[in-house]
């Protein structure tokens, strides 16, 4: 059997990689449950911490979305449902440890996950039919995040009298 006759196999990530990712995200998720430092208990600090939700779940999606199975039309809603359930669990636990339950944080988590998925999809093997969809998804979710983060910009401008 020649090399051309061998079936094309997709390279699999090392077995240890998913477990390292899970452990890393469990350790990072502990940041959601520690009390907010006094220095960050103001409008600007809160807005900066809220951006952390987007960044964390963007990294979460970049790390774990490739391990999901199926076509994007089924795995995307399934992954976002998992992110929603995980976010709901985190917010519920937060409310029992002295931090507030915020629906806005769940929205930020979903926005971060969609951003991570759109980045992941953008760098997949190019396919002409899906190029416009991937670019439009990346632009749309980036615009949504920018709109959601406008209060942070306004608070920074008012704090530093920039404009």
């Amino acid at each position: 059997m020649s090399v051309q006759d061998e079936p094309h196999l997709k390279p699999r990530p090392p077995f240890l990689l998913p477990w390292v990712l899970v452990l890393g995200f469990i350790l990072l998720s502990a940041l959601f449950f520690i009390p907010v430092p006094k220095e960050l208990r103001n409008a600007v600090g809160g807005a900066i911490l809220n951006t952390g939700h987007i960044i964390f779940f963007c990294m979460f999606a970049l790390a774990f979305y490739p391990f999901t199975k199926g076509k994007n039309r089924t795995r995307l809603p399934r992954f976002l449902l998992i992110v929603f359930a995980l976010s709901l669990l985190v917010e519920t636990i937060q409310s029992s440890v002295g931090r507030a339950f915020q629906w806005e944080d769940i929205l930020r988590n979903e926005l971060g996950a969609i951003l991570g998925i759109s980045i992941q999809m953008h760098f997949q093997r190019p396919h002409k039919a899906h190029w416009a969809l991937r670019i439009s998804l990346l632009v749309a979710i980036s615009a949504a995040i920018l709109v959601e983060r406008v209060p942070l910009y306004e608070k920074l401008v008012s704090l530093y009298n920039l404009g």
Side-chain angles (χ1 to χ4, degrees):
M1 182 194 273
S2 69
V3 174
Q4 287 89 8
D5 296 336
E6 290 181 19
H8 179 64
L9 297 176
K10 188 175 168 183
R12 296 180 64 145
F15 175 73
L16 190 57
L17 180 63
W19 296 108
V20 170
L21 288 172
V22 168
L23 181 63
F25 278 100
I26 287 172
L27 292 174
L28 278 174
S29 66
L31 295 174
F32 288 116
F33 304 109
I34 60 175
V36 177
K38 289 181 183 179
E39 297 81 21
L40 296 175
R41 289 187 190 163
N42 56 36
V44 175
I48 291 170
L49 287 175
N50 288 336
T51 305
H53 287 272
I54 295 170
I55 294 168
F56 179 85
F57 277 91
C58 178
M59 293 184 333
F60 181 82
L62 284 170
F64 291 108
Y65 188 70
F67 294 107
T68 59
K69 303 283 186 217
K71 296 184 183 237
N72 280 335
R73 117 183 86 197
T74 57
R75 72 190 249 212
L76 180 64
R78 194 173 352 123
F79 189 80
L80 291 176
L81 185 62
I82 290 168
V83 168
F84 179 78
L86 184 62
S87 301
L88 197 59
L89 177 66
V90 165
E91 289 298 317
T92 303
I93 294 171
Q94 272 185 349
S95 66
S96 67
V97 295
R99 291 183 62 178
F101 182 101
Q102 296 179 323
W103 285 104
E104 296 87 2
D105 286 349
I106 294 174
L107 171 70
R108 289 181 196 101
N109 297 349
E110 291 289 330
L111 286 173
I114 294 170
L115 177 64
I117 291 168
S118 65
I119 291 170
Q120 182 74 32
M121 289 173 64
H122 181 72
F123 289 107
Q124 286 177 347
R125 182 178 45 148
H127 188 271
K128 288 183 180 180
H130 299 291
W131 181 81
L133 174 66
R134 291 194 295 229
I135 293 295
S136 60
L137 178 62
L138 189 59
V139 168
I141 195 61
S142 298
I145 290 171
L146 285 174
V147 167
E148 199 278 330
R149 293 288 70 211
V150 164
L152 172 62
Y153 173 74
E154 291 171 346
K155 289 171 185 169
L156 287 173
V157 166
S158 67
L159 179 68
Y160 296 109
N161 297 321
L162 296 175

